[in-house]
Amino acid sequence: MSLSSIKDGLQKPISGIQRFVGRLSEGVMRRGDRGGLGLQILSGAVLLGLLILTLRSGGESGPQISKLWLFLSVGIAAIGFAASFLLRKFTRRTAERPKLVVGIFWCLSLASLTAWLPSSVVEAQLAAESFRASGQPPTTGAYTAQRLLVTGLLLSVPFVSIIYFRLSLMDRYVIHSFLSPFTFCLGSLISIFIVWDLTDNGSHFADKPFSLVVGFYLVQMPSLIMFIMPIVVLLASLSAVSRLSKFNELISMIGAGRSILRLLMPLFGMGLYFSFICLVLKFEWAPNSEGYKEALLSDSTAAARKNSANTDVWAEQRWMHVNQSAKRSWFVGNIPYDLSRDMAKVTIWEVTDDYQPKILWKAERARWTPAKDDDQESVWTLDQVTIYEWKPDRIPRIRKEDQIVMHGWDETPWKVLSSAQNPTYLGMSGLSAFLRANAGQDAALRAPFSTHWWYLFANPASCFIMVLVAAPLGIVYSRKGAMSGVTGAIIIFALMYLLDGTLLSMGQINSLPSFLAAWGTNIVIGTIGLILLWYRSQNRDVKSWRTWFARAT
């Protein structure tokens, strides 16, 4: 398959999907989905995805209990898909229609949860065994929190639909005004990214099957959604409020007795809900997707090596780890893909309290044996070792041993490797494991990981902050001020990304507390949004920069 054929094959479907999403969202949001086409497409997509997972699991070896849950999830999704065709019999004013819609969402949510939760538990158990073999600290709390978040997200869909049907007609209209540009912007930006990224990475897919190309971009969806979600929410909020102001609908709503804050409550609720969605993605999936992307882009021979049982195939070479508390430094020539295997060309240097040479081990192979129970301790075994030991006269004594066993060392293969990990690509489990394993290390070593730990919670909150900023900027009472809101939103968004990168960099070099480095941008932009919202709630225009400058001088 040539590069040009891949581009031609993807660009046309992407353009068609973009036009279809725009027309569908406009039709659903403005004229109403009387026939239930949107739910039919959604339920059909869920059913198709579960069928594909079930068929793929049929030919793989794995726990039978997970396969049984997959079959059950397909049955539940089929019920929801069949029920979606009954919507044509009910008009929007029929009282039974909301109950049927909520029931369909319950079927889809329970089907997704039934398929995901058992497999997630099995994967967590397998991961725990792998962590024990490599010495990675257990992160049971992080895995439990992730399962609770994903479960809450899946079950939140029917609950949100219940809340929606209990809202007033005016609140639903505001939500419709938001969701239409939101759907269009989200689909458009995803399509633009795929076309742009295909141009950049198309050479990697010249001889790859089309299914691999599709999988490559599906894997990137969590990180991509996290990247574009703030700007999508900003544009959708600004478009919704500007439209209400342009056609004097906002003035009519205020004349009906509602305040600005009450009118914007549906948008604030949407901002909180999308922040929750981003939190679920950011917790594990979005950071790890970049690592999966690199794995999919790697050469097929490298992929074969990763799965090979040959111990002479290495993941990394020339790795360094410093254990400051034990005054011990590791220089590892070759690190295997499977950390339970032997390391090769290992040099370990231990110094005294005044940083003078004490002893050096130079081994051909080094392996770590975890303790089997609490009464035993983990040990390191060094093979073909040359030992350099410094006496008080500062002259090293050299001897060789075929094998020695070292007791009392707190390093593990994972700990040796973790010191060079990129915290940007680690989720909650990886960051928590590193911070726990390096609790006694220098603050400068822990700063990047601690900053990104807080950033896991701060980054999703930016969706709500964008609504807080865009909503007051979109409120205009004259055509003259229409572009000022757009200009202000662009400036504030650029300021957000500038502050975000600057503060994170300062937190990673330990020149700013981790909490402030992660949350500082939200605090600054959120304060600006609250000030703008206060002015609009008091029916006052925000003073221009010239006015503030003249008053200051």
Side-chain angles (χ1 to χ4, degrees), residues 1 14 77 105 113 123 145 149 167 171 194 211 215 226 253 280 282 297 304 314 321 378 385 419 469 476:
M1 183 182 295
I14 288 172
F105 279 126
L113 184 61
E123 290 177 1
L149 285 174
L167 292 175
D171 289 333
I194 292 177
S211 59
M226 282 298 307
M253 293 177 182
V280 177
K282 185 70 174 178
L297 285 176
W314 311 107
H321 169 73
S378 303
V385 191
S419 60
V469 170
V476 292

Side-chain angles (χ1 to χ4, degrees), residues 50-298:
L50 293 176
L51 281 173
I52 293 175
L53 288 177
T54 305
L55 293 175
R56 291 186 62 182
S57 65
E60 298 177 358
S61 60
Q64 293 296 325
I65 186 65
S66 298
K67 298 178 182 179
L68 293 176
W69 283 109
L70 279 176
F71 283 112
L72 179 59
S73 66
V74 170
I76 298 175
I79 295 174
F81 180 65
S84 64
F85 289 91
L86 299 177
L87 290 173
R88 296 182 178 181
K89 298 182 179 181
F90 302 97
T91 63
R92 288 184 296 171
R93 298 182 180 180
T94 305
E96 287 77 11
R97 183 183 176 91
K99 297 179 181 178
L100 182 58
V101 172
V102 173
I104 294 172
F105 279 126
W106 272 115
C107 290
L108 300 181
S109 297
L110 291 177
S112 303
L113 184 61
T114 304
W116 172 79
L117 189 57
S119 61
S120 174
V121 174
V122 173
E123 290 177 1
Q125 294 174 350
L126 296 176
E129 296 177 1
S130 175
F131 291 165
R132 181 179 178 276
S134 62
Q136 180 172 343
T139 54
T140 306
Y143 279 105
T144 302
Q146 184 195 16
R147 287 195 288 268
L148 290 176
L149 285 174
V150 176
T151 301
L153 176 61
L154 294 176
L155 296 180
S156 68
V157 177
F159 281 109
V160 169
S161 64
I162 293 174
I163 295 174
Y164 170 80
F165 286 117
R166 293 186 178 182
L167 292 175
S168 64
L169 185 61
M170 194 176 296
D171 289 333
R172 293 191 206 177
Y173 184 77
V174 174
I175 292 177
H176 286 181
S177 301
F178 172 84
L179 289 180
S180 180
F182 175 85
T183 307
F184 179 77
C185 291
L186 184 64
S188 299
L189 290 179
I190 290 177
S191 302
I192 292 172
F193 169 81
I194 292 177
V195 173
W196 170 80
D197 192 76
L198 183 63
T199 304
D200 189 31
N201 297 315
S203 58
H204 296 276
F205 304 130
D207 56 347
K208 300 296 188 299
F210 186 75
S211 59
L212 181 62
V213 180
V214 175
F216 173 78
Y217 290 108
L218 286 178
V219 164
Q220 295 185 69
M221 282 299 109
S223 60
L224 174 60
I225 292 175
M226 282 298 307
F227 179 74
I228 66 176
M229 186 64 78
I231 184 62
V232 171
V233 172
L234 175 68
L235 294 175
S237 302
L238 191 63
S239 175
V241 180
S242 299
R243 183 181 179 88
L244 294 176
S245 298
K246 178 180 178 181
F247 295 102
N248 296 325
E249 294 171 313
L250 193 64
I251 297 177
S252 301
M253 293 177 182
I254 296 175
R258 292 203 172 185
S259 64
I260 293 293
L261 291 177
R262 178 61 184 85
L263 288 174
L264 298 178
M265 279 299 172
L267 295 183
F268 293 149
M270 297 299 294
L272 287 174
Y273 188 63
F274 284 116
S275 293
F276 173 65
I277 294 175
C278 289
L279 176 62
V280 177
L281 296 177
K282 185 70 174 178
F283 207 78
E284 287 290 346
W285 296 334
N288 294 337
S289 64
E290 286 295 327
Y292 297 150
K293 172 184 174 181
E294 296 300 328
L296 289 173
L297 285 176
S298 63

Side-chain angles (χ1 to χ4, degrees), residues 299-483:
D299 187 62
S300 58
T301 56
R305 290 178 178 180
K306 184 175 181 180
N307 297 323
S308 174
N310 185 4
T311 56
D312 291 331
V313 178
W314 311 107
E316 297 290 346
Q317 295 183 345
R318 295 180 295 275
W319 210 276
M320 180 178 178
H321 169 73
V322 179
N323 187 344
Q324 295 178 348
S325 59
K327 302 294 190 299
R328 194 161 42 241
S329 300
W330 292 63
F331 302 90
V332 184
N334 298 305
I335 295 179
Y337 281 104
D338 185 358
L339 293 181
S340 62
R341 300 184 183 275
D342 294 358
M343 297 180 179
K345 306 295 183 183
V346 180
T347 301
I348 307 168
W349 191 356
E350 190 171 314
V351 298
T352 61
D353 293 336
D354 55 351
Y355 296 97
Q356 297 298 321
K358 180 179 180 182
I359 188 171
L360 183 145
W361 299 270
K362 192 174 182 180
E364 291 295 324
R365 297 273 176 165
R367 61 182 174 275
W368 183 74
T369 305
K372 297 182 178 180
D373 50 52
D374 296 337
D375 296 334
Q376 298 180 354
E377 64 176 356
S378 303
V379 298
W380 278 93
T381 303
L382 306 180
D383 296 330
Q384 303 298 320
V385 191
T386 301
I387 305 174
Y388 300 80
E389 188 172 3
W390 280 262
K391 297 298 182 180
D393 56 6
R394 302 297 176 88
I395 299 176
R397 272 64 171 178
I398 304 174
R399 70 178 190 274
K400 294 185 178 182
E401 300 285 349
D402 291 336
Q403 185 181 89
I404 59 174
V405 178
M406 308 303 298
H407 299 268
W409 286 4
D410 60 349
E411 293 93 345
T412 65
W414 175 86
K415 193 172 182 179
V416 172
L417 177 63
S418 66
S419 60
Q421 291 185 107
N422 189 344
T424 306
Y425 304 145
L426 294 179
M428 175 58 68
S429 60
L431 293 173
S432 299
F434 180 89
L435 293 174
R436 182 182 302 177
N438 296 275
Q441 299 295 329
D442 185 65
L445 176 66
R446 293 164 46 88
F449 297 85
S450 178
T451 300
H452 280 275
W453 192 93
W454 284 109
Y455 193 63
L456 284 180
F457 301 96
N459 191 19
S462 61
C463 293
F464 176 76
I465 299 299
M466 289 295 97
V467 177
L468 195 63
V469 170
L473 287 176
I475 300 176
V476 292
Y477 300 107
S478 63
R479 294 183 179 180
K480 181 179 178 180
M483 287 304 299

